Amino acid sequence: MLRRTYDRFGCFEYFEGNDKCILIKEQSKTKVREVYLTSKSAGEIALSICPTHAGIMIGRLGKRLVPSLQGAEIIYQVGRKYPFITVNEMGEKLVLYGRDVFGQSITDASPNIKASQNLVIINSRQETLAIGLAKVPSQHMFKEGSVTVINVLDIGYYLRFQGKGLS
Amino acid sequence: MEKEPPKYIRINTLKITKSELIQKLIQKDIMYEDTILDEVLLVKSSRYPIGATTEYLRGYYYIQDLSSCLAVDELDVLPNQLNLDMASAPGGKTTYISQKMQNSGCVIALEPSIKRINALRFNLSRCGVRNSCIYALSGAHAGKLGLKFDRILLDAPCSGEGIIAKDPTIKTRLVPQQIANCVHRQIELLQCAINIVKPGGLIVYSTCTFAPEENELVINKLLSMNNKIKIEPQKYGEPGLTKYGDLTLDQRLTNTRRFYPHLHNTSGFFIAKIRVNSGE
């Protein structure tokens, strides 16, 4: 399933590289399966002595891979096939404050986004700011005065919450 | 001592090159100066708080004192090593070690507090560190992992006299018993480090305090207990003390280094570079 996801988003070769290792850890209480990207050596050590955390947590595995913020960033940056919206400078500031995205802040979007689809929110320099959830399909994405993308998790979340309530 | 400490940023070359970051800093009107370390810049002025920019949140740089960076620099880290950070949260030195390893090999980060592990995870993820394993373990129990390390960084828990500018309450709340407790813990951690470093491996011991009891006296005690360790010279800083009150200490302590705010424009800091010989 993971390999199909990599292939779909054009990053199969990146994740299958010799210097990298993918680990899946099932949380004993919640049974949630977390996917980690590590160096080869860190992966080997993690397999022999189970750590609290290893490398970068790239997502959670259910019926499909739900990328984390870092996972979505890697998948977007490597393959450029992951759905995205680009926001202007004002939109960037609001996203970093945890706000949702209004249509007028969006300057570009992938052509085939569907409502309720996950996407990455990037700035004009193509830097990932957040993962979002589309409220409307691509053709309505730029509608002024309405929130068209929900900010699910942005890179400023930790500083705002200082680690409280995070898993 | 209470003068506002200088602000340094370390460029995270796992995510961005120095020239690319400098361009971004200039665009944001952040004025900087180079330092003795190529990856570290002294921030002279900025219009925005440097801990709230997109560049910071994206992990392009880490706000870290020059003295902390020097401790990692002295560790002589190379790619593909197996390295240990014995007291790693919030992750500034761990991310720098990983950067010097170019995300290869493995750096083990120990931190007993789950709350502090959250901060550590955030910083490692933010900086794009792939080669780390975090264990919720005290540095004193590092031997339980059953691993031998090429390099070990022990930035030891200390009384913090060197960071009074950041936390002025240290002046009024620090009592001699706390220093004694720190010393006990520091020796315990260093002994543990000596037992788990590979023959020929390197340990860097650092503290952010001026107290000789937690610096030279700890290393002096270690030298008297172990004949297989050597104190290696360092590039920067003032030589460590070899006399303290009535005490005459081991002359090899001149190879340890002290950093002072008024001389080096850093926090007060101490670094000892300890080579553990193979015993042959």
Side-chain angles (χ1 to χ4, degrees), chain B residues 93-139:
Chain B
K93 295 184 187 73
T94 316
T95 53
Y96 195 18
I97 291 171
S98 177
Q99 177 178 327
K100 285 185 170 279
M101 294 167 79
Q102 295 161 24
N103 245 341
S104 66
C106 182
V107 55
I108 302 286
L110 302 184
E111 175 51 53
S113 155
I114 294 294
K115 194 178 168 191
R116 283 168 64 81
I117 282 179
N118 276 340
L120 179 61
R121 281 178 59 162
F122 166 72
N123 281 318
L124 294 183
S125 294
R126 181 173 68 86
C127 293
V129 171
R130 283 200 307 263
N131 65 341
S132 64
C133 287
I134 302 174
Y135 291 93
L137 197 65
S138 157

Short mmCIF file of all heavy atoms in Angstrom, two decimals, chain B residues 93-139:
data_model
loop_
_atom_site.label_atom_id
_atom_site.label_comp_id
_atom_site.label_asym_id
_atom_site.label_seq_id
_atom_site.Cartn_x
_atom_site.Cartn_y
_atom_site.Cartn_z
N LYS B 93 21.65 20.65 20.02
CA LYS B 93 22.93 19.98 19.72
C LYS B 93 22.70 18.71 18.92
O LYS B 93 23.49 18.37 18.05
CB LYS B 93 23.69 19.70 21.02
CG LYS B 93 24.10 20.98 21.74
CD LYS B 93 24.93 20.69 22.96
CE LYS B 93 25.18 21.95 23.77
NZ LYS B 93 23.97 22.40 24.50
N THR B 94 21.60 18.01 19.20
CA THR B 94 21.30 16.77 18.45
C THR B 94 21.13 17.09 16.96
O THR B 94 21.66 16.37 16.11
CB THR B 94 20.02 16.10 18.98
OG1 THR B 94 20.04 16.10 20.40
CG2 THR B 94 19.87 14.69 18.48
N THR B 95 20.40 18.16 16.68
CA THR B 95 20.18 18.49 15.26
C THR B 95 21.49 18.91 14.59
O THR B 95 21.71 18.63 13.42
CB THR B 95 19.12 19.60 15.10
OG1 THR B 95 19.50 20.73 15.91
CG2 THR B 95 17.75 19.15 15.52
N TYR B 96 22.37 19.55 15.37
CA TYR B 96 23.66 19.95 14.79
C TYR B 96 24.54 18.71 14.52
O TYR B 96 25.23 18.64 13.50
CB TYR B 96 24.36 20.93 15.74
CG TYR B 96 25.52 21.69 15.13
CD1 TYR B 96 25.69 21.82 13.75
CD2 TYR B 96 26.47 22.30 15.95
CE1 TYR B 96 26.75 22.52 13.21
CE2 TYR B 96 27.54 23.02 15.41
CZ TYR B 96 27.67 23.12 14.04
OH TYR B 96 28.72 23.82 13.50
N ILE B 97 24.48 17.75 15.45
CA ILE B 97 25.23 16.50 15.23
C ILE B 97 24.73 15.83 13.96
O ILE B 97 25.51 15.42 13.09
CB ILE B 97 25.09 15.55 16.45
CG1 ILE B 97 25.81 16.12 17.68
CG2 ILE B 97 25.63 14.15 16.13
CD1 ILE B 97 25.54 15.37 18.98
N SER B 98 23.41 15.75 13.83
CA SER B 98 22.82 15.12 12.65
C SER B 98 23.22 15.85 11.37
O SER B 98 23.52 15.23 10.34
CB SER B 98 21.29 15.13 12.81
OG SER B 98 20.71 14.61 11.66
N GLN B 99 23.25 17.16 11.46
CA GLN B 99 23.67 17.99 10.32
C GLN B 99 25.10 17.66 9.91
O GLN B 99 25.40 17.50 8.74
CB GLN B 99 23.54 19.45 10.74
CG GLN B 99 23.98 20.46 9.72
CD GLN B 99 23.76 21.89 10.22
OE1 GLN B 99 22.82 22.16 10.96
NE2 GLN B 99 24.61 22.79 9.82
N LYS B 100 25.97 17.52 10.90
CA LYS B 100 27.37 17.20 10.59
C LYS B 100 27.51 15.78 10.06
O LYS B 100 28.46 15.47 9.37
CB LYS B 100 28.24 17.41 11.83
CG LYS B 100 28.49 18.89 12.11
CD LYS B 100 29.45 19.09 13.26
CE LYS B 100 29.87 20.54 13.38
NZ LYS B 100 30.94 20.92 12.43
N MET B 101 26.56 14.90 10.40
CA MET B 101 26.58 13.53 9.89
C MET B 101 25.88 13.44 8.53
O MET B 101 25.78 12.36 7.95
CB MET B 101 25.87 12.59 10.87
CG MET B 101 26.58 12.46 12.20
SD MET B 101 25.54 11.67 13.44
CE MET B 101 25.70 9.95 12.97
N GLN B 102 25.36 14.55 8.05
CA GLN B 102 24.65 14.62 6.77
C GLN B 102 23.49 13.63 6.72
O GLN B 102 23.25 12.96 5.70
CB GLN B 102 25.61 14.42 5.61
CG GLN B 102 26.65 15.53 5.50
CD GLN B 102 27.87 15.12 4.69
OE1 GLN B 102 27.79 14.24 3.84
NE2 GLN B 102 28.99 15.77 4.93
N ASN B 103 22.81 13.47 7.86
CA ASN B 103 21.64 12.60 7.97
C ASN B 103 21.96 11.13 7.73
O ASN B 103 21.08 10.34 7.40
CB ASN B 103 20.52 13.05 7.01
CG ASN B 103 19.30 13.52 7.78
OD1 ASN B 103 19.13 13.21 8.96
ND2 ASN B 103 18.43 14.26 7.11
N SER B 104 23.24 10.74 7.86
CA SER B 104 23.60 9.33 7.68
C SER B 104 23.92 8.74 9.06
O SER B 104 23.92 9.45 10.06
CB SER B 104 24.82 9.23 6.77
OG SER B 104 25.94 9.80 7.43
N GLY B 105 24.21 7.44 9.09
CA GLY B 105 24.53 6.82 10.37
C GLY B 105 23.37 6.95 11.33
O GLY B 105 22.20 6.97 10.92
N CYS B 106 23.69 7.09 12.61
CA CYS B 106 22.60 7.21 13.59
C CYS B 106 23.05 8.03 14.79
O CYS B 106 24.16 7.85 15.29
CB CYS B 106 22.16 5.82 14.05
SG CYS B 106 20.78 5.86 15.21
N VAL B 107 22.19 8.92 15.22
CA VAL B 107 22.43 9.62 16.48
C VAL B 107 21.32 9.22 17.45
O VAL B 107 20.14 9.32 17.14
CB VAL B 107 22.53 11.16 16.28
CG1 VAL B 107 21.32 11.74 15.58
CG2 VAL B 107 22.75 11.86 17.62
N ILE B 108 21.75 8.70 18.60
CA ILE B 108 20.81 8.29 19.64
C ILE B 108 20.62 9.48 20.58
O ILE B 108 21.60 10.04 21.08
CB ILE B 108 21.37 7.08 20.44
CG1 ILE B 108 21.68 5.90 19.52
CG2 ILE B 108 20.41 6.69 21.58
CD1 ILE B 108 20.51 5.15 19.00
N ALA B 109 19.36 9.84 20.80
CA ALA B 109 19.05 10.98 21.67
C ALA B 109 18.33 10.46 22.91
O ALA B 109 17.30 9.80 22.79
CB ALA B 109 18.17 11.98 20.92
N LEU B 110 18.90 10.74 24.07
CA LEU B 110 18.28 10.29 25.33
C LEU B 110 17.62 11.46 26.04
O LEU B 110 18.20 12.54 26.13
CB LEU B 110 19.34 9.66 26.24
CG LEU B 110 20.11 8.48 25.68
CD1 LEU B 110 21.04 7.91 26.75
CD2 LEU B 110 19.20 7.40 25.14
N GLU B 111 16.44 11.21 26.56
CA GLU B 111 15.73 12.22 27.33
C GLU B 111 14.69 11.52 28.20
O GLU B 111 13.78 10.89 27.66
CB GLU B 111 15.06 13.24 26.39
CG GLU B 111 14.20 14.26 27.06
CD GLU B 111 14.87 14.99 28.23
OE1 GLU B 111 15.98 15.53 28.02
OE2 GLU B 111 14.32 14.96 29.35
N PRO B 112 14.83 11.61 29.52
CA PRO B 112 13.89 10.86 30.37
C PRO B 112 12.49 11.47 30.47
O PRO B 112 11.53 10.76 30.72
CB PRO B 112 14.57 10.86 31.74
CG PRO B 112 15.53 11.99 31.71
CD PRO B 112 15.90 12.24 30.29
N SER B 113 12.37 12.80 30.25
CA SER B 113 11.08 13.45 30.45
C SER B 113 10.24 13.43 29.16
O SER B 113 10.67 13.94 28.13
CB SER B 113 11.31 14.90 30.89
OG SER B 113 10.21 15.70 30.54
N ILE B 114 9.04 12.85 29.25
CA ILE B 114 8.15 12.76 28.08
C ILE B 114 7.78 14.15 27.58
O ILE B 114 7.71 14.39 26.37
CB ILE B 114 6.87 11.95 28.43
CG1 ILE B 114 7.24 10.49 28.72
CG2 ILE B 114 5.84 12.03 27.32
CD1 ILE B 114 7.77 9.69 27.55
N LYS B 115 7.59 15.08 28.52
CA LYS B 115 7.23 16.45 28.13
C LYS B 115 8.34 17.06 27.27
O LYS B 115 8.09 17.70 26.25
CB LYS B 115 7.00 17.27 29.40
CG LYS B 115 6.31 18.59 29.16
CD LYS B 115 6.09 19.33 30.46
CE LYS B 115 5.67 20.76 30.17
NZ LYS B 115 5.69 21.59 31.35
N ARG B 116 9.58 16.84 27.70
CA ARG B 116 10.70 17.40 26.94
C ARG B 116 10.93 16.64 25.64
O ARG B 116 11.46 17.19 24.67
CB ARG B 116 11.95 17.42 27.82
CG ARG B 116 11.92 18.57 28.84
CD ARG B 116 12.98 18.44 29.90
NE ARG B 116 14.34 18.52 29.40
CZ ARG B 116 14.98 19.66 29.12
NH1 ARG B 116 14.38 20.81 29.30
NH2 ARG B 116 16.21 19.64 28.67
N ILE B 117 10.50 15.37 25.60
CA ILE B 117 10.61 14.61 24.34
C ILE B 117 9.72 15.25 23.27
O ILE B 117 10.08 15.25 22.09
CB ILE B 117 10.26 13.12 24.57
CG1 ILE B 117 11.45 12.42 25.22
CG2 ILE B 117 9.90 12.42 23.25
CD1 ILE B 117 11.24 10.95 25.53
N ASN B 118 8.57 15.80 23.66
CA ASN B 118 7.72 16.49 22.67
C ASN B 118 8.47 17.63 22.00
O ASN B 118 8.39 17.80 20.78
CB ASN B 118 6.46 17.04 23.35
CG ASN B 118 5.39 15.99 23.46
OD1 ASN B 118 5.40 14.99 22.74
ND2 ASN B 118 4.46 16.19 24.37
N ALA B 119 9.20 18.42 22.80
CA ALA B 119 9.98 19.53 22.23
C ALA B 119 11.10 18.98 21.35
O ALA B 119 11.37 19.52 20.26
CB ALA B 119 10.57 20.37 23.36
N LEU B 120 11.70 17.90 21.80
CA LEU B 120 12.79 17.27 21.03
C LEU B 120 12.27 16.77 19.67
O LEU B 120 12.88 17.02 18.62
CB LEU B 120 13.36 16.12 21.87
CG LEU B 120 14.49 15.29 21.29
CD1 LEU B 120 15.72 16.15 21.01
CD2 LEU B 120 14.88 14.16 22.26
N ARG B 121 11.12 16.07 19.70
CA ARG B 121 10.52 15.56 18.46
C ARG B 121 10.20 16.70 17.50
O ARG B 121 10.45 16.61 16.30
CB ARG B 121 9.21 14.82 18.77
CG ARG B 121 9.40 13.43 19.27
CD ARG B 121 8.08 12.79 19.59
NE ARG B 121 7.19 12.73 18.43
CZ ARG B 121 6.13 11.93 18.35
NH1 ARG B 121 5.84 11.13 19.34
NH2 ARG B 121 5.38 11.92 17.28
N PHE B 122 9.64 17.78 18.05
CA PHE B 122 9.28 18.92 17.21
C PHE B 122 10.52 19.47 16.51
O PHE B 122 10.52 19.70 15.30
CB PHE B 122 8.63 20.02 18.07
CG PHE B 122 8.54 21.36 17.39
CD1 PHE B 122 7.64 21.56 16.36
CD2 PHE B 122 9.38 22.40 17.76
CE1 PHE B 122 7.57 22.79 15.71
CE2 PHE B 122 9.31 23.63 17.12
CZ PHE B 122 8.40 23.82 16.10
N ASN B 123 11.59 19.66 17.27
CA ASN B 123 12.79 20.26 16.69
C ASN B 123 13.48 19.32 15.70
O ASN B 123 13.98 19.77 14.67
CB ASN B 123 13.76 20.69 17.80
CG ASN B 123 13.32 22.00 18.43
OD1 ASN B 123 12.91 22.92 17.73
ND2 ASN B 123 13.37 22.08 19.74
N LEU B 124 13.51 18.02 16.00
CA LEU B 124 14.13 17.08 15.06
C LEU B 124 13.33 17.02 13.76
O LEU B 124 13.90 17.01 12.67
CB LEU B 124 14.25 15.69 15.68
CG LEU B 124 15.17 15.52 16.89
CD1 LEU B 124 15.23 14.07 17.34
CD2 LEU B 124 16.59 15.99 16.59
N SER B 125 12.01 17.01 13.88
CA SER B 125 11.16 16.97 12.68
C SER B 125 11.29 18.27 11.88
O SER B 125 11.42 18.25 10.66
CB SER B 125 9.70 16.76 13.05
OG SER B 125 9.52 15.51 13.63
N ARG B 126 11.25 19.38 12.60
CA ARG B 126 11.35 20.70 11.96
C ARG B 126 12.65 20.80 11.17
O ARG B 126 12.68 21.38 10.08
CB ARG B 126 11.31 21.78 13.05
CG ARG B 126 11.37 23.21 12.58
CD ARG B 126 11.16 24.17 13.74
NE ARG B 126 12.25 24.17 14.70
CZ ARG B 126 13.34 24.90 14.60
NH1 ARG B 126 13.49 25.72 13.59
NH2 ARG B 126 14.29 24.83 15.50
N CYS B 127 13.72 20.25 11.72
CA CYS B 127 15.03 20.37 11.07
C CYS B 127 15.29 19.25 10.06
O CYS B 127 16.37 19.17 9.49
CB CYS B 127 16.13 20.41 12.12
SG CYS B 127 16.05 21.90 13.12
N GLY B 128 14.32 18.35 9.86
CA GLY B 128 14.47 17.30 8.84
C GLY B 128 15.48 16.23 9.22
O GLY B 128 16.14 15.66 8.35
N VAL B 129 15.57 15.93 10.52
CA VAL B 129 16.54 14.91 10.98
C VAL B 129 15.94 13.52 10.80
O VAL B 129 14.92 13.19 11.41
CB VAL B 129 16.91 15.16 12.47
CG1 VAL B 129 17.72 14.01 13.01
CG2 VAL B 129 17.66 16.47 12.60
N ARG B 130 16.59 12.72 9.95
CA ARG B 130 16.11 11.36 9.68
C ARG B 130 16.90 10.30 10.44
O ARG B 130 16.45 9.19 10.59
CB ARG B 130 16.30 11.05 8.18
CG ARG B 130 15.32 11.66 7.24
CD ARG B 130 15.31 10.89 5.93
NE ARG B 130 16.65 10.76 5.38
CZ ARG B 130 17.15 11.55 4.44
NH1 ARG B 130 16.43 12.52 3.96
NH2 ARG B 130 18.37 11.35 3.98
N ASN B 131 18.12 10.67 10.88
CA ASN B 131 19.02 9.62 11.40
C ASN B 131 19.01 9.54 12.92
O ASN B 131 20.02 9.22 13.53
CB ASN B 131 20.45 9.87 10.89
CG ASN B 131 21.03 11.15 11.42
OD1 ASN B 131 20.30 12.03 11.87
ND2 ASN B 131 22.34 11.28 11.37
N SER B 132 17.86 9.83 13.53
CA SER B 132 17.82 9.83 14.99
C SER B 132 16.91 8.75 15.54
O SER B 132 15.94 8.35 14.90
CB SER B 132 17.29 11.19 15.48
OG SER B 132 15.96 11.35 15.05
N CYS B 133 17.25 8.28 16.72
CA CYS B 133 16.34 7.43 17.51
C CYS B 133 16.27 8.07 18.89
O CYS B 133 17.31 8.31 19.52
CB CYS B 133 16.88 6.01 17.66
SG CYS B 133 16.78 5.04 16.17
N ILE B 134 15.06 8.34 19.35
CA ILE B 134 14.88 8.93 20.69
C ILE B 134 14.48 7.82 21.66
O ILE B 134 13.56 7.04 21.36
CB ILE B 134 13.78 10.01 20.68
CG1 ILE B 134 14.10 11.12 19.68
CG2 ILE B 134 13.58 10.59 22.07
CD1 ILE B 134 12.98 12.15 19.52
N TYR B 135 15.15 7.78 22.80
CA TYR B 135 14.76 6.84 23.85
C TYR B 135 14.42 7.62 25.11
O TYR B 135 15.18 8.53 25.49
CB TYR B 135 15.89 5.85 24.13
CG TYR B 135 16.12 4.90 22.98
CD1 TYR B 135 17.07 5.20 22.00
CD2 TYR B 135 15.38 3.74 22.86
CE1 TYR B 135 17.26 4.35 20.92
CE2 TYR B 135 15.57 2.89 21.79
CZ TYR B 135 16.51 3.19 20.82
OH TYR B 135 16.69 2.36 19.75
N ALA B 136 13.32 7.26 25.74
CA ALA B 136 12.91 7.90 27.01
C ALA B 136 13.73 7.28 28.13
O ALA B 136 13.27 6.39 28.84
CB ALA B 136 11.43 7.71 27.24
N LEU B 137 14.96 7.72 28.24
CA LEU B 137 15.92 7.08 29.14
C LEU B 137 16.86 8.14 29.68
O LEU B 137 17.26 9.06 28.96
CB LEU B 137 16.71 6.07 28.29
CG LEU B 137 17.50 4.97 28.97
CD1 LEU B 137 16.58 4.01 29.70
CD2 LEU B 137 18.30 4.19 27.92
N SER B 138 17.23 8.00 30.94
CA SER B 138 18.23 8.90 31.50
C SER B 138 19.61 8.54 30.94
O SER B 138 19.90 7.37 30.70
CB SER B 138 18.23 8.75 33.02
OG SER B 138 19.46 9.17 33.54
N GLY B 139 20.44 9.55 30.77
CA GLY B 139 21.80 9.31 30.28
C GLY B 139 22.56 8.32 31.14
O GLY B 139 23.38 7.55 30.63
#
